Amino acid sequence: MENRKIISSLLFIIGLALSIAFIIKIEFPQGFEAYFKREYYNQFGPLVISVELLIASYYLFIGHKKTNFALAFFGFTALLDLVFSQLGLFTSIMPLYGTIVLSICALVCLWLAFANTFKLKGLSPIAAIFSIALGVFVELFFNYL
């Protein structure tokens, strides 16, 4: 239980620091119609991924039964941002430091989720597929649609 709280605290601190860094980079446009353009909403993609990390780390800290799903959802979303960007599907606005840090956290979270390291409710195959589908949706929503 001690290791779970240490890992979740580290992930929470990383998620909080990245959330603050990504909020600072958001540019709010002048005029009403600019809020309905795609460029405005694209700015929120990195913030959403870091908030997913915050939620997953909080669930891990309290030992919530949906922890493994939240960890997998964050992990797939963060890695899909990197994969889709490398495949040329879109140009991610995630800064390089965010990509590196979130990819490392994503690999750790996916390992924790699929290995069920802390003996929380296991991740079913349907939940794993659903977390991948949600990750794809989030990435396409903020970067492609």
Side-chain angles (χ1 to χ4, degrees):
M1 173 155 29
E2 186 69 28
N3 288 339
R4 181 183 58 132
K5 291 192 176 190
I6 291 170
I7 292 171
S8 65
S9 297
L10 289 172
L11 290 173
F12 190 84
I13 291 168
I14 292 168
L16 186 63
L18 289 175
S19 294
I20 292 169
F22 296 150
I23 286 173
I24 291 171
K25 288 190 171 209
I26 292 176
E27 296 178 13
F28 294 97
Q30 299 286 328
F32 185 69
E33 64 189 35
Y35 284 96
F36 296 103
K37 294 186 178 176
R38 189 177 95 159
E39 294 82 23
Y40 174 68
Y41 290 104
N42 286 355
Q43 300 179 90
F44 291 95
L47 179 62
V48 167
I49 296 172
S50 61
V51 169
E52 287 177 15
L53 177 59
L54 285 173
I55 293 168
S57 63
Y58 173 71
Y59 276 5
L60 183 61
F61 188 82
I62 64 171
H64 194 274
K65 65 180 182 177
K66 299 286 184 182
T67 299
N68 287 331
F69 176 78
L71 290 169
F73 177 43
F74 159 72
F76 285 125
T77 306
L79 288 179
L80 284 170
D81 186 69
L82 174 65
V83 169
F84 288 167
S85 180
Q86 291 299 312
L87 290 176
L89 203 63
F90 56 78
T91 303
S92 177
I93 64 164
M94 178 80 69
L96 181 61
Y97 68 88
T99 301
I100 293 169
V101 171
L102 288 175
S103 295
I104 293 168
C105 290
L107 292 173
V108 169
C109 287
L110 286 173
W111 176 71
L112 290 173
F114 283 101
N116 197 13
T117 307
F118 299 113
K119 307 297 182 227
L120 301 167
K121 183 181 177 196
L123 194 63
S124 70
I126 293 174
I129 292 169
F130 190 59
S131 67
I132 294 170
L134 277 176
V136 168
F137 175 76
V138 167
E139 281 304 308
L140 293 179
F141 181 79
F142 286 104
N143 292 299
Y144 195 66
L145 298 178

